[in-house]
Amino acid sequence: MKTVLITGATDGVGRVVAKRLAADGWRVLAHGRSEERGASLVDEIAAAGGKASFLRADLASLAEVRRLAEAVSKQTAALQLLINNAGIGSVGERPGRRESADGYELRFAVNYLAGFLLTHLLRPLLENGAPSRIVNVASAGQQAIDFDDVMLSRGYSGVRAYCQSKLAQILFTVDLADELKGSGIVANCLHPSTYMNTTMVRQSGNTPISTVETGAEAILQLAVSPALAGKSGLYFNVMNESRANPQAYDATARSRLRELSRELTGLKS
Ligand SMILES: NC(=O)c1ccc[n+]([C@@H]2O[C@H](COP(=O)([O-])OP(=O)(O)OC[C@H]3O[C@@H](n4cnc5c(N)ncnc54)[C@H](OP(=O)(O)O)[C@@H]3O)[C@@H](O)[C@H]2O)c1
């Protein structure tokens, strides 16, 4: 049985993807923060005849990211799929500039850095599961990273913080694809859909204009489509391969982000 870890599976588009993969016979490791929503997801999947377990971690803490990776390793020796989907929108639960438990700008920490660390920690499991895939759920909302003020201590806005974190995921994906060449693991990223009807969009005050099913379809294409086997380092706008912000294709920017991320997460080079 193939195993997938989906972060942010308790709500929104991640929840739909978790249920779809479970219905297709995947064993689902569903991550989230809310015990209650996690338990109800596991129950729904079990009631439909699928297999799932819930793993709780607040991705605003790198120590919790490390504990999540350990919890995953206790449940499985191999992963065929990792979907880094958890995220906070431009407004979130409380508007304004916030910091993670480690003192980093919150959206950069949760939307990007947590996935960066988790992916590196889970690489051995993905190698054991090869051919395996990594899908980073980014966004069409992208803003170039200002390496002189990554933590947005000046001129903060929630939209800027969100867009910077989403572009960071894309730079990471392009970089990772290079690093993973020959390993049997591919990494791609996408904008799942615009203003899906989810908690994040409702919190931001935007009117939903697409469904979570549309976004789930786009994520599933990168996750399982045979047509994309072996393809890596790509950015998709919903169902179509597309170009991201030019910074994603700037090797110097990617290497700066990689070095900074290793330093911030305590990963050894
Ligand atoms: N909605 C859109 O239109 C849209 C557009 C472009 C890109 N995206 C991207 O799609 C992904 C999913 O978005 P969504 O709209 O489905 O969001 P959502 O409904 O708000 O769900 C967010 C998920 O992330 C989890 N999460 C949030 N903060 C967390 C934290 N600190 N630690 C651990 N988990 C955390 C939540 O867990 P709990 O419920 O347990 O708190 C929830 O499962 C995000 O990466 C988002 O940027 C969405």
Side-chain angles (χ1 to χ4, degrees):
M1 191 179 222
K2 289 182 176 178
T3 304
V4 53
L5 171 65
I6 311 174
T7 68
T10 41
D11 205 357
V13 71
R15 193 174 177 105
V16 177
V17 170
K19 289 198 275 191
R20 289 274 304 268
L21 287 170
D24 284 347
W26 286 74
R27 174 187 177 202
V28 174
L29 305 182
H31 155 271
R33 260 180 323 180
S34 159
E35 291 279 1
E36 204 184 326
R37 281 195 287 276
S40 77
L41 172 65
V42 168
D43 288 350
E44 274 179 53
I45 289 176
K51 198 166 178 219
S53 50
F54 175 62
L55 298 169
R56 194 201 169 277
D58 185 344
L59 301 185
S61 156
L62 292 173
E64 290 210 20
V65 175
R66 289 182 180 277
R67 277 199 289 276
L68 173 62
E70 276 168 31
V72 172
S73 315
K74 282 190 188 136
Q75 296 225 359
T76 184
L79 275 178
Q80 281 75 27
L81 180 59
L82 166 63
I83 305 180
N84 287 308
N85 164 76
I88 319 173
S90 55
V91 173
E93 285 151 1
R94 287 186 302 157
R97 187 180 179 281
R98 307 271 165 217
E99 290 187 351
S100 69
D102 308 279
Y104 306 144
E105 190 283 311
L106 188 63
R107 279 156 191 78
F108 188 78
V110 172
N111 296 359
Y112 161 66
L113 211 49
F116 172 88
L117 178 59
L118 187 64
T119 303
H120 281 94
L121 296 175
L122 294 178
R123 181 169 168 171
L125 273 67
L126 289 157
E127 276 169 4
N128 291 344
S132 49
R133 298 188 189 189
I134 298 165
V135 178
N136 290 325
V137 182
S139 176
Q142 300 161 20
Q143 174 151 349
I145 300 158
D146 173 2
F147 284 98
D148 292 329
D149 188 22
V150 175
M151 298 305 158
L152 305 179
S153 55
R154 299 182 297 273
Y156 177 88
S157 87
V159 171
R160 181 175 169 203
Y162 178 77
C163 293
Q164 167 179 270
S165 70
K166 292 282 127 184
L167 182 57
Q169 286 183 289
I170 301 172
L171 267 71
F172 170 47
T173 308
V174 176
D175 206 46
L176 191 60
D178 255 3
E179 200 178 306
L180 292 173
K181 266 186 194 143
S183 69
I185 312 168
V186 294
N188 295 295
C189 59
L190 79 160
H191 168 61
S193 202
T194 300
Y195 295 153
M196 292 178 282
N197 191 0
T198 67
T199 302
M200 150 179 323
V201 169
R202 291 189 295 270
Q203 278 170 342
S204 69
N206 289 300
T207 306
I209 56 171
S210 65
T211 63
V212 279
E213 285 72 23
T214 312
E217 209 55 59
I219 293 171
L220 287 166
Q221 173 176 243
L222 294 193
V224 299
S225 163
L228 292 176
K231 297 264 169 68
S232 199
L234 305 179
Y235 168 73
F236 275 65
N237 182 5
V238 193
M239 296 301 283
N240 301 310
E241 190 182 337
S242 186
R243 292 289 285 179
N245 179 293
Q247 197 181 44
Y249 310 105
D250 173 348
T252 308
R254 291 200 305 272
S255 116
R256 282 186 86 171
L257 182 64
R258 183 196 323 133
E259 288 318 307
L260 175 68
S261 307
R262 286 187 173 279
E263 202 180 295
L264 297 176
T265 57
L267 275 181
K268 295 196 176 53
S269 298

